[in-house]
C-alpha cells in the first residue's frame, strides 16, 4: 500500500535501520524493486530522478509524473508492504511542483551546488509549499563528487555539521543527505573507499532527523566481472563496502539511495542472456531472467540495510 515517506523514515530512525530508495526508469525495474520488497516484507522507497520523469513521459513532465504515480499506485495497492514514491534530486521548481501535484510521497530539493544561504532559502521555499500539502522533503548539504545529472562536481565538499544544525532548524526539512565522501555512479573511489563517519555522527547528533546516503551502491565485483566477460568495459568500478554501509546505518543513515547496483546487474545479465540465447526475440523471455537478478540484488540490499521484516 502507498505510505508517506516521513512515517517510514521516522520509524527507521527511531529503531536504527535503513530503508532502500531504489531508482526506476521503466516498468520492469519498478516490478523487480516492489517484488523484492514484498518478498523481504520490507517498507521500500521507489524513486525517479528528473531525467526518469522526462524519460517515462517522452519529454512531457506531467505525463511522466502521472504515469510514475499510477504505475506505483497500481502495483502497490496489491502489496502488503508500505511503498513511497520519491522525487530524487529535484532541481527544477516546475518538476518538483508537478511531482507534488501528481501524488509523489516526498520530494528532494537538491540545491547543494548553491552557496549555503541560497541552498537554505531554496529548501525553505520548497518545504513551506510541500508541508502545506502534507508532502515530506529531503535536502542535501555538501557536494558529492561526480556527475549529478548534468552538473559535474569536480571535488566533493563534505558536510559541515554546524551548518547542518542551522540548516535543519531554519528550513524544517524532514530528511537530510549529508555529503560524507560518496559519489554517484560505478567509480566512487580512486584509492581505498573512505567515508567521514565523524561528520556523520555529529550531523545526526545535531539534527536528530532521518539521514540519507547518496551514492551508496556497492558495485559488486562479481557482477562487474560478469559484465566485462560479456563485453562491457567497466574496469576500475568500485563502490561502498558492506561494513561501511552498516557503520553508516549505525551512525544514523536511514534512507540509502541505490541505482548503479541495479544498472550493473541489468547490463551484466542482459549481455549474458543475449549472448547465450541467440535466437530469442521475445523481450519477455529476455527480460524475465535479467530482472530476476535485479530483484535478487534489491533483496540483498534490503537485508544489508536491516529493513527486512520491518513492514
Ligand atoms: O544517490 C543515488 C544513487 O547513487 P549510486 O550511483 O551509488 O547508485 N541516486 O540519487 C540515484 C541517482 C543517481 C544516478 O546513479
Ligand atoms: Na533523494
Ligand atoms: Zn543521489
Amino acid at each position: 500500500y502507498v505510505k508517506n515517506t516521513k512515517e517510514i523514515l521516522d520509524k527507521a530512525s527511531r529503531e536504527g535501520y535503513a530503508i532502500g530508495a531504489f531508482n526506476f526508469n521503466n516498468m520492469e525495474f519498478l516490478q523487480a524493486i516492489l517484488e523484492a520488497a514484498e518478498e523481504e516484507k520490507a517498507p521500500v522507497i521507489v524513486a525517479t530522478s528528473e531525467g526518469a520523469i522526462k524519460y517515462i513521459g517522452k519529454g512531457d513532465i506531467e505525463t511522466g509524473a502521472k504515469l510514475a504515480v499510477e504505475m506505483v499506485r497500481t502495483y502497490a495497492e496489491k502489496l502488503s508492504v508500505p511503498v513511497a514514491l520519491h522525487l530524487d534530486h529535484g532541481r527544477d521548481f516546475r518538476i518538483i511542483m508537478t511531482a507534488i501535484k501528481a501524488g509523489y510521497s516526498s520530494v528532494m530539493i537538491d540545491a547543494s551546488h548553491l552557496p549555503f544561504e541560497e541552498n537554505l532559502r531554496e529548501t525553505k521555499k520548497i518545504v513551506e509549499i510541500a508541508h502545506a500539502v502534507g508532502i515530506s522533503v529531503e535536502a542535501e548539504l555538501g557536494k558529492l563528487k561526480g556527475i549529478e545529472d548534468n552538473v559535474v562536481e569536480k571535488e566533493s565538499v563534505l558536510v559541515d555539521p554546524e551548518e547542518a544544525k542551522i540548516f535543519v532548524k531554519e528550513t524544517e526539512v524532514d530528511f537530510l543527505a549529508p555529503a560524507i565522501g560518496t559519489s554517484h555512479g560505478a567509480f566512487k573511489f580512486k584509492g581505498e573507499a573512505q567515508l567521514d563517519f565523524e561528520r556523520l555522527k555529529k550531523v545526526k547528533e545535531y539534527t536528530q532527523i532521518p539521514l540519507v546516503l547518496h551514492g551508496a551502491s556497492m558495485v559488486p565485483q562479481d557482477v562487474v566481472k560478469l559484465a566485462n566477460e560479456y563485453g562491457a568495459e567497466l574496469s576500475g568500478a568500485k563502490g561502498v563496502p558492506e561494513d561501511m554501509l552498516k557503520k553508516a546505518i549505525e551512525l544514523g543513515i536511514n534512507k540509502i539511495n541505490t541505482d548503479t547496483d541495479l544498472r550493473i546487474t541489468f547490463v551484466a545479465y542482459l549481455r549474458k542472456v543475449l549472448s547465450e540465447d541467440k535466437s530469442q526475440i521475445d523481450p519477455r523471455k529476455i527480460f524475465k531472467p535479467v530482472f530476476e537478478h535485479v530483484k535478487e540484488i534489491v533483496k540483498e540490499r534490503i537485508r544489508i540495510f536491516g529493513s527486512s521484516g520491518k513492514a
Side-chain angles (χ1 to χ4, degrees):
Y1 56 100
V2 179
K3 188 130 171 122
N4 83 42
T5 313
K6 181 167 168 43
E7 274 179 59
I8 293 174
L9 292 183
D10 281 349
K11 181 171 177 290
S13 188
R14 282 195 307 274
E15 299 177 15
Y17 58 88
I19 304 291
F22 302 99
N23 292 73
F24 71 96
N25 290 300
N26 67 16
M27 180 182 72
E28 287 81 3
F29 276 93
L30 178 60
Q31 289 173 332
I33 295 161
L34 294 180
E35 283 161 16
E38 184 72 3
E39 290 176 21
E40 284 300 317
K41 302 209 175 330
V44 72
I45 296 168
V46 288
T48 61
S49 62
E50 293 189 341
I53 288 181
K54 288 173 189 162
Y55 176 83
I56 294 171
K58 297 296 289 174
D60 180 285
I61 290 165
E62 283 77 11
T63 303
K66 185 171 181 300
L67 196 46
V69 168
E70 295 308 316
M71 262 200 296
V72 171
R73 278 198 184 137
T74 308
Y75 285 130
E77 67 192 12
K78 301 260 180 308
L79 302 180
S80 68
V81 297
V83 178
L85 172 59
H86 176 74
L87 173 68
D88 192 23
H89 288 292
R91 291 216 160 143
D92 177 312
F93 184 71
R94 201 166 79 77
I95 296 178
I96 295 172
M97 292 302 118
T98 302
I100 290 176
K101 201 169 146 213
Y104 275 60
S105 320
S106 53
V107 295
M108 177 184 186
I109 163 65
D110 179 359
S112 59
H113 53 290
L114 300 176
F116 177 76
E117 283 307 325
E118 284 175 58
N119 183 355
L120 194 152
R121 201 167 42 246
E122 263 300 284
T123 300
K124 197 170 164 61
K125 177 171 113 183
I126 300 297
V127 168
E128 275 164 10
I129 297 168
H131 282 187
V133 287
I135 303 300
S136 37
V137 180
E138 173 188 332
E140 182 173 329
L141 262 188
K143 292 177 190 155
L144 278 74
K145 284 194 296 282
I147 322 279
E148 282 195 11
D149 267 351
N150 48 19
V151 177
V152 182
E153 295 295 355
K154 288 179 195 45
E155 275 314 301
S156 80
V157 177
L158 301 183
V159 64
D160 171 348
E162 296 293 336
E163 281 190 352
K165 180 160 47 176
I166 298 163
F167 187 88
V168 167
K169 190 161 165 295
E170 291 291 307
T171 61
E172 298 184 358
V173 73
D174 301 288
F175 332 119
L176 182 70
I180 56 171
T182 57
S183 59
H184 289 139
F187 306 90
K188 295 182 191 299
F189 303 99
K190 285 196 178 37
E192 275 311 294
Q194 202 178 1
L195 298 186
D196 193 323
F197 293 114
E198 277 316 301
R199 284 175 200 266
L200 173 57
K201 193 158 176 274
K202 286 204 184 83
V203 170
K204 190 69 174 189
E205 189 191 318
Y206 293 170
T207 63
Q208 293 296 312
I209 63 169
L211 299 181
V212 185
L213 190 63
H214 281 251
S217 278
M218 298 173 69
V219 188
Q221 291 307 302
D222 55 332
V223 182
V224 171
K225 186 165 170 291
L226 184 75
N228 290 337
E229 275 163 13
Y230 285 95
E233 291 176 358
L234 294 169
S235 54
K238 193 180 183 80
V240 182
E242 177 170 342
D243 62 309
M244 289 194 176
L245 277 185
K246 290 204 161 159
K247 185 160 180 190
I249 296 164
E250 275 166 38
L251 294 173
I253 290 288
N254 307 109
K255 173 174 176 278
I256 300 185
N257 285 20
T258 306
D259 187 14
T260 294
D261 283 346
L262 283 62
R263 295 179 171 192
I264 291 178
T265 303
F266 165 73
V267 164
Y269 286 96
L270 179 64
R271 285 174 172 277
K272 183 171 190 291
V273 167
L274 287 176
S275 80
E276 284 171 357
D277 191 350
K278 292 192 183 313
S279 59
Q280 186 53 258
I281 59 169
D282 181 341
R284 292 166 301 175
K285 295 210 173 62
I286 294 167
F287 276 171
K288 191 170 182 312
V290 171
F291 282 95
E292 273 299 310
H293 288 287
V294 174
K295 181 184 81 174
E296 282 310 314
I297 198 104
V298 174
K299 289 174 73 173
E300 277 174 39
R301 292 293 172 276
I302 287 173
R303 286 195 287 270
I304 291 172
F305 299 166
S307 42
S308 294
K310 299 289 187 191

